[in-house]
Amino acid sequence: MHDYIAKLLAERLAARKVVVWYDQRGEFTPFMNEVRGGPRIGAEPVPVSVGGAHGQLVEYAGSMFELRNAVEPYVNGDAADAVVIYLPGCARDPRGSVLMELEEAGTRWNPMLVQLARNLLLKTYTLGVVDQMLAADRRLTYEDLARMAESDGPEPPSILKTIFCDARDGDAMLGAWLTDESHDIAISAKAATTELVSLIKARLGLELPDAALPKLRAITARYVLANEFRMDLAGPAPVALEGVPTPPSAQSTSAVRELATRLRADFSAAYPALADRVEDELRLRDMRVPGSALGSIDTFRFEERELLIHCADLIVEARYDEALAIVSQREHSFWLELDVGRKAQWEAVRRMAELGHEAVRVRAELGRANGDARTWLTRYTDTPCEWYRMDQAQRRLEAWVATLDDDPDERPLGLVRRAYEDTCHLMAASFVEALRSSDWTIPDALHQTHVYGEVVTAQPKPVAYFLVDAMRYEMGVELASRLPESSEVSVRPSVAALPSITPVGMAALQPGASASFSIAEEGNRLGARIDGTFLPDLTARQRYIKARTPKSADVSLAELLSLSPSKLAKKLNDAHVVVVRSQEIDKVGEAGFAFHARQVMDTVIDNIARAVRKLAAAGVGYAVVTADHGHLFFAIDRDESMRTDPPGGHTVDLHRRCWIGRGGATPPGCVRVTASALGYDSDLELVFPSGSGVFRAGGDLAFHHGGPTLQEMVIPVITIRTAAGTAKPDITASVTVTETPETITNRIFTVTLSPGTGQMMLGTTGMAVRAMLISDGNQVGVVGMVAGAEFDRATERIQLEPGRSTTIGFQLTDDTVDSLQIVVLDPETDAELYRSRTKIPVRLGVR
């Protein structure tokens, strides 16, 4: 259209030099803006080029005399320059025009936009088609006609394209119309309803009645969404859908599916209201469609809720694999991306199903675990059995449930908890029998008393020696997976000394324990004795190791993480052995704060990993991480039937899982063993519940240790070599974090993570990152959910894809903090890729 008008104007300039152009309706102003290269600025003449002709453009600005004076310099010679005099909004005065002389010397032009468009369109289309396109009741603008003239296909140009000018195709136009009623005014004004109805029939196979646009929209929306829902059902459709026609052909069926998918993808902000309206109109929520009949498509909101109930039912029926399949299929559901609270409930169901699956698997394998205690240890720690994964699944479930603002369904949660407890009880009773048949020893296994002498002393100096109270084996495996890939890491099991309590286990990890170690009683206190030294508590152990290893330093995990690099260097003071103590797990567990304990356990794993990296940056590149004992940790306190009266007699020490003393009676369901049978130089006796029960020892704890179970006795020994020196951020690798909340009001919240624009992003493989929440140097939250990227839950690695944003759901594991920062790291080098510039306040429960 532009080229056609420009050609006509150029011909007149070439013939008469001066063109006086009257545009009474201002129809050609957009054309003039195109010629000028933008809107008019000022009243001065502007040099222009149109259709290959060059000249000056002079425009009327309210005064004819001013206009004539502006033109005068270009026409006062013997040969006039080319000039276009444009008068928008002006009608010619045939008797008294100030520009009469210029009109007579040059040429006067008074074109009609529709007539020019008609002349142009007739070169491509027949008169009948053009008359329909330019019908008098259509309010067509220059832009409308220009787009119509651009069409060079066999079909008439589309008025709808002039209305939905940003739409790439018919589905984009239909999607925009279905989700936004504001286009109706333009459709009516330009008489495009007929074209819209024709498009719907041709594309979707839907015959629409003669009705107003709002009614047509409602009918089309019901047709598209109801048919997508109906086609996805595994059973008969609800009665409410009988009034909705079905697509008449395979082609229209496919088109319905494609348009429904397009609505969610390209019109995601408006889709929920559209789908909810159709769902209400059809009263689908009242139809009680069973979850087993629902497919994999996210048409309506109620489907997500029904499917979650269905997954819960599957778990109650112990059909864990089926529940996991549905969760995996639905984890990127449209409706879940809208509501992090719902997504959190689905994540809870996933973890329930994973725990149920592991409990059933392990229980089935227990019956085949004949043999000595060494066989049981191997099956617990090594492939292919790896029974520790059941404990790992249980910890992950309980940690997640503890962060939910809305409690999950109690039916499946209670069932998998009971399945876990029953398996633990059977495993405990069977393992005790294996220990007894093996004379309370596990041949060829690393004993806790040999960890320092065989593992720590073998490391180059300086070496960090992490003593983590109550970290069981499965937590050690997870810790190893969260260390930088550049580190050399190995994990092996060790057998804790009995009873598996802190005074005994921590003493067994001291220097000299391999040569001389025994439990002992002094002054009615239980402790351990090494080479004649009685070690009943932390203070005694600190004095002992300082005496045995003068070049040693002692620091708590919390202190280490809070120290600045300079203060840390001063604290280390050229020490050969850096003892790092962590009591967080045992402290909150023994205190009876089960809810908080479940949150803390995950945090401790990550904080130890951060401490290893921090020491490596300070020059301590070697580390050994181990524990005094593991633990049993159930969601609720032991049932009364699981509680046993203690033996009586002379009691030296009593814990929920062990009694140490002399005499008394062995209660039913318990086993008695002498200290000498355990290899100790002592006349003490020990009594343990043979299953997973507890003694009545006060309190209502769900956290227990002290007994002879695999969870309590098998501890990890992790050796680590990390390249010393501070990891430098890679300026070519960065991430952007957006949509962060101004205040944290829920334990679970989301942010959006996007790859940076550096060189790493130019490839096709993207980049791996780890994200966490930090407060005052301590990790207080982890990633629990990820949408839009692959997420390894064990290593917490998120695989970002180039050019794609990822939504991550953070799980706040310490709700006592006042503020936090979001930190993103490179998992291989531990380089910091992002950190919140300011601290984000935490105000749980505040909306």
Side-chain angles (χ1 to χ4, degrees), residues 66-296:
E66 179 185 23
L67 181 63
R68 190 175 66 180
N69 288 337
V71 175
E72 187 66 24
Y74 303 102
V75 298
N76 61 4
D78 294 333
D81 294 337
V83 181
V84 177
I85 304 169
Y86 180 58
L87 296 95
C90 295
R92 177 176 178 268
D93 182 354
R95 295 182 179 276
S97 174
V98 174
L99 305 178
M100 184 74 73
E101 182 181 5
L102 292 170
E103 293 176 14
E104 294 300 325
T107 185
R108 181 176 62 253
W109 198 28
N110 189 21
M112 301 298 290
L113 177 62
V114 172
Q115 186 57 52
L116 291 185
R118 178 183 296 275
N119 296 339
L120 176 60
L121 292 170
L122 283 171
K123 295 181 179 182
T124 307
Y125 304 102
T126 64
L127 179 61
V129 171
V130 172
D131 284 345
Q132 182 181 359
M133 293 162 59
L134 303 180
D137 59 350
R138 289 187 168 181
R139 301 171 186 176
L140 301 175
T141 65
Y142 171 82
E143 290 88 347
D144 295 333
L145 295 168
R147 292 191 185 95
M148 293 167 65
E150 287 174 1
S151 175
D152 56 1
E155 297 297 324
S158 169
I159 296 300
L160 288 178
K161 289 184 178 179
T162 70
I163 298 170
F164 302 99
C165 52
D166 295 328
R168 301 187 303 274
D169 53 33
D171 277 2
M173 286 190 285
L174 291 177
W177 173 66
L178 285 170
T179 57
D180 186 356
E181 63 185 20
S182 66
H183 298 99
D184 288 0
I185 297 174
I187 293 172
S188 296
K190 296 179 180 180
T193 302
T194 300
E195 183 184 350
L196 176 64
V197 169
S198 297
L199 173 62
I200 291 171
K201 179 180 179 181
R203 175 67 175 149
L204 305 175
L206 174 63
E207 292 274 2
L208 287 170
D210 184 9
L213 285 168
K215 184 174 181 179
L216 297 181
R217 176 181 293 104
I219 294 172
T220 306
R222 281 197 298 272
Y223 176 81
V224 172
L225 299 188
N227 276 301
E228 183 194 45
F229 173 69
R230 178 160 46 196
M231 290 183 284
D232 196 43
L233 285 174
V239 176
L241 299 186
E242 291 180 355
V244 180
T246 58
S249 67
Q251 182 178 3
S252 54
T253 297
S254 177
V256 165
R257 289 185 184 273
E258 291 172 9
L259 179 56
T261 301
R262 188 80 166 268
L263 286 170
R264 288 186 291 274
D266 295 350
F267 305 92
S268 57
Y271 182 82
L274 178 69
D276 288 347
R277 187 162 55 248
V278 174
E279 182 181 318
D280 289 339
E281 290 171 357
L282 297 175
R283 301 182 64 184
L284 288 173
R285 275 169 292 182
D286 300 333
M287 297 294 110
R288 300 303 303 169
V289 180
S292 58
L294 296 173
S296 60

Side-chain angles (χ1 to χ4, degrees), residues 499 519 521 526 647-654 658-664 672-675 682-687:
I519 61 171
E521 171 199 8
L526 180 73
H650 174 62
T651 301
V652 175
D653 207 352
L654 176 63
C658 66
W659 172 90
I660 305 100
R662 300 177 184 87
R672 181 183 294 262
V673 59
T674 63
S682 171
D683 64 348
L684 290 171
E685 297 173 303
L686 299 90
V687 178

Side-chain angles (χ1 to χ4, degrees), residues 40-71:
R40 177 182 176 181
I41 301 175
E44 297 299 319
V46 177
V48 295
S49 176
V50 287
H54 304 282
Q56 298 293 321
L57 172 62
V58 186
E59 296 185 47
Y60 172 73
S63 169
M64 290 292 184
F65 292 102
E66 179 185 23
L67 181 63
R68 190 175 66 180
N69 288 337
V71 175

Side-chain angles (χ1 to χ4, degrees), residues 717-729:
V717 177
I718 310 164
T719 56
I720 307 162
R721 178 186 180 278
T722 303
T726 304
K728 302 291 185 182

Side-chain angles (χ1 to χ4, degrees), residues 444-557:
D444 303 320
L446 174 66
H447 195 270
Q448 188 176 40
T449 54
H450 289 253
V451 170
Y452 191 94
E454 295 183 16
V455 182
V456 177
T457 58
Q459 306 303 311
K461 304 301 183 288
V463 59
Y465 189 27
F466 285 79
L467 303 178
V468 186
D469 203 337
M471 182 174 71
R472 60 189 182 186
Y473 182 78
E474 56 90 4
M475 299 175 73
V477 173
E478 191 152 306
L479 167 62
S481 70
R482 296 186 186 177
L483 294 168
E485 291 182 354
S486 56
S487 301
E488 296 177 10
V489 184
S490 69
V491 185
R492 61 187 295 195
S494 179
V495 179
L498 285 175
S500 50
I501 57 177
T502 298
V504 174
M506 285 298 181
L509 295 169
Q510 300 300 311
S514 60
S516 169
F517 181 82
S518 178
I519 61 171
E521 171 199 8
E522 284 190 11
N524 291 323
R525 297 181 69 190
L526 180 73
R529 182 174 287 117
I530 302 176
D531 197 20
T533 303
F534 182 60
L535 305 175
D537 53 30
L538 172 61
T539 301
R541 294 192 297 272
Q542 287 176 312
R543 286 197 301 263
Y544 174 81
I545 195 170
K546 193 66 178 177
R548 295 291 297 259
T549 311
K551 281 201 166 187
S552 64
D554 182 278
V555 61
S556 70
L557 177 63

Side-chain angles (χ1 to χ4, degrees), residues 267-344:
F267 305 92
S268 57
Y271 182 82
L274 178 69
D276 288 347
R277 187 162 55 248
V278 174
E279 182 181 318
D280 289 339
E281 290 171 357
L282 297 175
R283 301 182 64 184
L284 288 173
R285 275 169 292 182
D286 300 333
M287 297 294 110
R288 300 303 303 169
V289 180
S292 58
L294 296 173
S296 60
I297 301 177
D298 308 315
T299 308
F300 297 115
R301 192 188 300 268
F302 86 95
E303 294 182 78
E304 175 265 313
R305 297 180 181 274
E306 288 295 333
L307 273 170
L308 186 63
I309 294 172
H310 178 54
C311 285
D313 291 340
L314 291 174
I315 292 173
V316 170
E317 296 168 11
R319 295 158 63 184
Y320 305 116
D321 290 344
E322 293 178 53
L324 283 172
I326 294 175
V327 173
S328 297
Q329 189 181 60
R330 284 277 173 166
E331 63 182 340
H332 300 308
S333 162
F334 173 82
W335 299 103
L336 295 185
E337 300 304 322
L338 295 179
D339 188 343
V340 67
R342 297 301 301 172
K343 194 173 182 66

